[in-house]
Amino acid sequence: MSILQNELTHLIFLAEVVIASRKKEVMEDTLQCLLYIIKSLPEVEVPDSVAEQIAHLTERIEEKLRQENERIQEIQGNLGRLTKPNSIA
């Protein structure tokens, strides 16, 4: 099955609206649509400037996920210390 250019253009428009308006309630659906398209392609030819932007955004995503993971581990560590009974030395 093929997705026509006008359907892709409409999806691009919707994704831009979601991003610009910070419509969090539909971000997951938007990402899922874009993910399906990306997964269906073996490779994509993009201009160098786009590839650079993608690389920059990828780095930002990875960094934010790492920071979030570190923060969660810190919180879990603190909670673990709170739930352990105090030992008398």
Side-chain angles (χ1 to χ4, degrees):
M1 181 174 160
S2 294
I3 296 177
L4 302 175
Q5 183 60 48
N6 64 336
E7 294 169 314
L8 290 173
T9 301
H10 186 63
L11 182 56
I12 291 167
F13 167 76
L14 292 175
E16 289 173 342
V17 169
V18 168
I19 290 169
S21 302
R22 299 182 185 269
K23 301 288 187 184
K24 292 183 180 183
E25 64 276 0
V26 292
M27 278 191 185
E28 186 175 337
D29 293 338
T30 305
L31 286 172
Q32 194 65 49
C33 287
L34 297 173
L35 187 59
Y36 285 138
I37 292 168
I38 291 168
K39 282 183 166 183
S40 71
L41 303 171
E43 67 180 56
V44 178
E45 188 68 33
V46 296
D48 290 344
S49 61
V50 172
E52 290 171 11
Q53 286 183 335
I54 290 171
H56 175 71
L57 291 170
T58 301
E59 289 173 10
R60 281 183 42 193
I61 292 166
E62 290 171 345
E63 180 60 27
K64 287 180 181 184
L65 290 174
R66 269 194 294 283
Q67 288 174 356
E68 182 180 314
N69 188 39
E70 290 169 2
R71 181 70 180 133
I72 289 170
Q73 289 176 355
E74 179 184 334
I75 290 168
Q76 288 174 338
N78 289 337
L79 288 174
R81 284 192 289 275
L82 290 174
T83 58
K84 290 182 184 175
N86 292 334
S87 60
I88 301 174

